[in-house]
Amino acid sequence: FFLAGENTATVGEYQLNITEHPIPSNDVCESAIELKKFPSSIMSGSLVGATPDFDGADAQTCVSNIDTRGVWYKVEGRGAVIKLEYQLKTVGLGNSKVAIFKGSC
């Protein structure tokens, strides 16, 4: 079951499209894709099919509320400064979020 609607008092017509997508191979931390190409690496990907990474109390234990669907990547530093840039290519997706973790999954 799911409910489609608006959070305002206005009503109108809508269109509903349902599409099934496979879950990405790096959908969980344990399956993170390792980026090894230095001094720079460019990676394009898709969030289509990604599942929620944190839910309930787990999402609230981080500095930011991480209630996103994302894919995982892994980078091992070599003692230099690393600059990370993340940009959504799909217009209207909302706010993008990047979370940095250290250690193991």
Side-chain angles (χ1 to χ4, degrees):
F1 297 97
F2 64 89
L3 173 66
E6 276 290 325
N7 60 355
T8 65
T10 60
V11 295
E13 296 179 8
Y14 66 89
Q15 178 177 324
L16 179 63
N17 297 318
I18 299 174
T19 307
E20 185 176 56
H21 298 280
I23 296 173
S25 63
N26 59 332
D27 189 53
V28 295
C29 180
E30 291 80 8
S31 299
I33 294 174
E34 188 166 5
L35 304 178
K36 293 183 177 184
K37 189 175 179 183
F38 283 99
S40 69
S41 183
I42 298 173
M43 172 66 84
S44 292
S46 175
L47 299 175
V48 174
T51 60
D53 295 296
F54 303 97
D55 59 1
D58 289 337
Q60 303 302 322
T61 59
C62 300
V63 174
S64 173
N65 182 12
I66 303 175
D67 58 352
T68 61
R69 297 171 184 268
V71 291
W72 291 82
Y73 294 93
K74 176 171 44 174
V75 174
E76 187 171 329
R78 301 182 309 173
V81 174
I82 295 176
K83 178 181 178 182
L84 174 89
E85 296 179 87
Y86 176 68
Q87 182 177 36
L88 291 174
K89 291 184 175 184
T90 304
V91 176
L93 259 182
N95 296 328
S96 60
K97 292 185 179 182
V98 172
I100 310 263
F101 300 90
K102 68 177 185 175
S104 61
C105 295

